[in-house]
Amino acid sequence: MDYRKYYKGEFWIKDNKDEKLFGLLKFLEGVAYIDLFGSFISSNDKGKEVEFVFGLLENNQFCIFHNCKLQRPAPFRTSNFINFEFFVHAPPHLFKPTKDDKLEFTRVKFRFDFLSDWTGINVYSPYIDGNGNSGIKLDQPDLSELVLFEDKDLLLRVGHEYSMPLSNPFSSFELKQESWLIAEINGELDFDGVFSFLENKEDIFILLNGKEVLLTTPFVLYTKSTKEFFCFKNRINARFEPLVLSESKRIIHVPIFNLSQLTDLMDLKLFFKGWIGVSTRYPDSIRAIVTCFKQRNLNAESTFLNLVFSLEKL
């Protein structure tokens, strides 16, 4: 799904499948909404909140929109907005109706800004052989040791993807690569659990990078049967494409601590286990420190004072 386009579709409320209305799924500065041709409520209602709205789009994607706010029909308007917190989309055959229409997940795959800079993994390198011939070679990295955290409930590891462009006179494909984080969950998480987990990991990477880090939308969720769903969580100025390494985009940010430095200093699992412990014991202080790095409008003096105040409580 291209989050810069509009998608036509038909939409309906969970308990009223017979009343389907046409509309458009739109995106504005990182926020998704439905522009509905009509309304599911009457003009006498003040508004209504429903847990689910379903949709089938023209690109053959089935969507479940969560925590939706319905607007009553407005005079002189042919359409009405439906706002929601997030939506999940996948091909229709992956959705099997359940009694409560809930999905639970055992694996999460996600990306952050500067994650490729932080890992420092680069699979492409130039070479010159003994005969003076030069070219580009591909070195597949060993990721088996890059486990950031592991306990009885969770395994968090680094993943890396790269392109294999075709070589022909008519192609101009770039060599691209980027790092992912993959969480294997022993058990199941609902949406609230997934969002809480991702917010916590976003915080630690803000501290490691020393500046704002954004989670890329969408992230990928897997059920126990390995079905793949994409989750779009509304967020103003959301990042759709992370800052990645390619031939035209080199490293543009040097983190405070990168993966190699942390590996040299200590065991990765101990570091992330310690972080989880600190963030659990001192949530207010950690939140204040993270806010200092995220707020770009603060001057240096205010940032310093806020950091001192937050660190005093640790």
Side-chain angles (χ1 to χ4, degrees), residues 16-222:
N16 194 357
K17 296 182 179 180
D18 295 329
E19 184 184 356
K20 294 184 179 180
L21 296 177
F22 291 102
L24 297 170
L25 175 62
K26 296 183 176 181
F27 303 90
L28 177 64
E29 297 181 4
V31 176
Y33 64 97
I34 298 171
D35 197 355
L36 193 69
F37 302 141
S39 178
F40 291 119
I41 58 179
S42 69
S43 57
N44 296 324
D45 296 324
K46 293 183 178 180
K48 183 180 180 181
E49 294 187 7
V50 296
E51 186 177 6
F52 299 116
V53 169
F54 298 98
L56 181 61
L57 305 181
E58 61 180 325
N59 61 347
N60 197 35
Q61 290 285 296
F62 185 84
C63 303
I64 301 180
F65 304 89
H66 290 250
N67 303 334
C68 302
K69 295 181 179 179
L70 308 182
Q71 292 183 348
R72 63 179 179 177
F76 311 111
R77 283 199 55 174
T78 58
S79 63
N80 296 277
F81 298 146
I82 296 179
N83 294 314
F84 46 85
E85 183 183 355
F86 63 95
F87 75 94
V88 180
H89 65 89
H93 69 275
L94 294 185
F95 286 92
K96 288 187 177 180
T98 61
K99 187 177 295 184
D100 51 7
D101 289 307
K102 288 186 176 180
L103 294 169
E104 292 184 325
F105 309 99
T106 59
R107 187 179 177 211
V108 186
K109 182 179 175 184
F110 56 100
R111 302 174 290 179
F112 291 126
D113 279 348
F114 310 119
L115 184 61
S116 294
D117 291 349
W118 182 76
T119 64
I121 299 173
N122 186 4
V123 300
Y124 302 114
S125 60
Y127 73 91
I128 300 178
D129 62 21
N131 297 322
N133 299 316
S134 61
I136 297 294
K137 63 178 180 178
L138 171 67
D139 296 316
Q140 295 187 355
D142 180 13
L143 304 179
S144 60
E145 299 297 322
L146 297 183
V147 176
L148 305 183
F149 181 81
E150 184 177 12
D151 65 8
K152 62 182 180 63
D153 299 318
L154 173 70
L155 185 146
L156 181 65
R157 60 184 176 87
V158 174
H160 197 76
E161 295 183 351
Y162 48 88
S163 65
M164 293 294 292
L166 300 174
S167 297
N168 66 69
F170 305 103
S171 68
S172 58
F173 298 117
E174 283 189 317
L175 299 176
K176 293 184 179 181
Q177 56 183 321
E178 62 177 318
S179 295
W180 290 72
L181 292 180
I182 301 169
E184 306 281 354
I185 302 163
N186 294 326
E188 293 182 326
L189 281 181
D190 57 12
F191 285 107
D192 289 337
V194 169
F195 296 151
S196 177
F197 169 80
L198 293 177
E199 183 179 352
N200 181 272
K201 300 304 172 285
E202 191 176 74
D203 286 349
I204 188 173
F205 277 91
I206 289 173
L207 296 179
L208 288 171
N209 281 278
K211 65 181 301 182
E212 184 180 25
V213 172
L214 293 180
L215 174 73
T216 300
T217 297
F219 44 91
V220 190
L221 304 170
Y222 299 86

Side-chain angles (χ1 to χ4, degrees), residues 161-290:
E161 295 183 351
Y162 48 88
S163 65
M164 293 294 292
L166 300 174
S167 297
N168 66 69
F170 305 103
S171 68
S172 58
F173 298 117
E174 283 189 317
L175 299 176
K176 293 184 179 181
Q177 56 183 321
E178 62 177 318
S179 295
W180 290 72
L181 292 180
I182 301 169
E184 306 281 354
I185 302 163
N186 294 326
E188 293 182 326
L189 281 181
D190 57 12
F191 285 107
D192 289 337
V194 169
F195 296 151
S196 177
F197 169 80
L198 293 177
E199 183 179 352
N200 181 272
K201 300 304 172 285
E202 191 176 74
D203 286 349
I204 188 173
F205 277 91
I206 289 173
L207 296 179
L208 288 171
N209 281 278
K211 65 181 301 182
E212 184 180 25
V213 172
L214 293 180
L215 174 73
T216 300
T217 297
F219 44 91
V220 190
L221 304 170
Y222 299 86
T223 62
K224 186 181 294 185
S225 57
T226 68
K227 293 178 181 178
E228 183 179 79
F229 299 86
F230 295 89
C231 183
F232 184 106
K233 192 173 189 300
N234 271 337
R235 182 176 190 170
I236 295 176
N237 296 323
R239 177 80 70 189
F240 301 117
E241 292 295 332
L243 303 170
V244 300
L245 294 172
S246 69
E247 291 174 297
S248 60
K249 292 182 180 179
R250 299 301 180 182
I251 292 178
I252 61 173
H253 175 69
V254 179
I256 297 175
F257 292 103
N258 61 28
L259 179 60
S260 177
Q261 291 169 329
L262 287 179
T263 305
D264 293 339
L265 289 172
M266 65 181 70
D267 183 87
L268 288 174
K269 297 178 186 178
L270 289 177
F271 173 81
F272 280 87
K273 184 177 181 180
W275 157 256
I276 291 175
V278 170
S279 62
T280 302
R281 291 194 301 271
Y282 308 102
D284 294 336
S285 294
I286 296 299
R287 173 55 52 188
I289 294 171
V290 168

Side-chain angles (χ1 to χ4, degrees), residues 284-304:
D284 294 336
S285 294
I286 296 299
R287 173 55 52 188
I289 294 171
V290 168
T291 301
C292 289
F293 288 120
K294 291 175 67 174
Q295 291 182 341
R296 303 173 185 175
N297 58 336
L298 290 180
N299 58 45
E301 188 175 280
S302 297
T303 300
F304 175 76

